Amino acid sequence: ATALVLAIPGCGQPAPTSSLPPNAANVTSAQQPYTRIMSAPTSGFTESENIVLKTDAGLASAWKTVHAGVPGNPAPAIDMVHNMVVLIALGQRNTGGYTVRFDSLTTENAGAVVHYTVTSPGPGCMNTQMITSPIDVVSVPRIDGPIRFDKTDAVNRC
């Protein structure tokens, strides 16, 4: 995965940035539409995970983990014949100020690349003093080939 560290003046969300692979000129890609299902500062995912869900059963199982097993939180209804769900979990962090954000899904040759940004607080930022576990979940058109994840790191400077 490609990683860049950005120093952004002032607080707020930095613009996602990612470097292209060395053979980018030889890759034909197309950005796919997506629908954000959920983005939250806390979830039941204690470890960092990048998951592609292609079945109702898989989504239901992951959704239980998203909500830490608390009943009354059914998985969203997604047409899994034509779509899939991308779940990006950052895992536990000791403070607030961390976010994970799906940026795009691009198709390349027979597969796809999920581009996402992880933002962490810079030195001196005032953050919530609680354990967080950021997550971002989106629905995208189904891709049956291999899917890889391309992470961009960003730092908020306060």
Side-chain angles (χ1 to χ4, degrees):
T2 304
L4 296 175
V5 177
L6 304 175
I8 307 297
C11 291
Q13 286 293 95
T17 307
S18 181
S19 63
L20 297 173
N23 63 348
N26 299 329
V27 175
T28 302
S29 68
Q31 188 167 328
Q32 299 298 306
Y34 68 91
T35 301
R36 181 157 279 107
I37 298 171
M38 174 186 192
S39 187
T42 60
S43 71
F45 283 90
T46 58
E47 300 295 324
S48 177
E49 293 196 45
N50 299 328
I51 304 171
V52 176
L53 303 159
K54 295 184 177 184
T55 67
D56 290 328
L59 177 58
S61 176
W63 209 250
K64 284 181 185 175
T65 303
V66 166
H67 293 287
V70 176
N73 296 296
I78 305 291
D79 174 5
M80 294 300 233
V81 172
H82 298 103
N83 298 292
M84 61 186 186
V85 172
V86 175
L87 184 150
I88 306 166
L90 193 53
Q92 282 189 348
R93 298 295 184 261
N94 290 329
T95 66
Y98 292 90
T99 61
V100 61
R101 182 116 181 134
F102 172 93
D103 297 322
S104 66
L105 175 83
T106 54
T107 56
E108 294 183 353
N109 304 324
V113 180
V114 171
H115 303 273
Y116 69 102
T117 301
V118 172
T119 303
S120 56
C125 290
M126 295 181 68
N127 298 298
T128 304
Q129 297 301 302
M130 65 180 269
I131 294 176
T132 60
S133 48
I135 191 167
D136 203 16
V137 185
V138 298
S139 171
V140 294
R142 187 179 186 95
I143 304 290
D144 288 321
I147 298 169
R148 66 181 176 88
F149 287 78
D150 179 34
K151 173 183 160 189
T152 298
D153 287 311
V155 176
N156 272 339
R157 211 174 75 192
C158 301

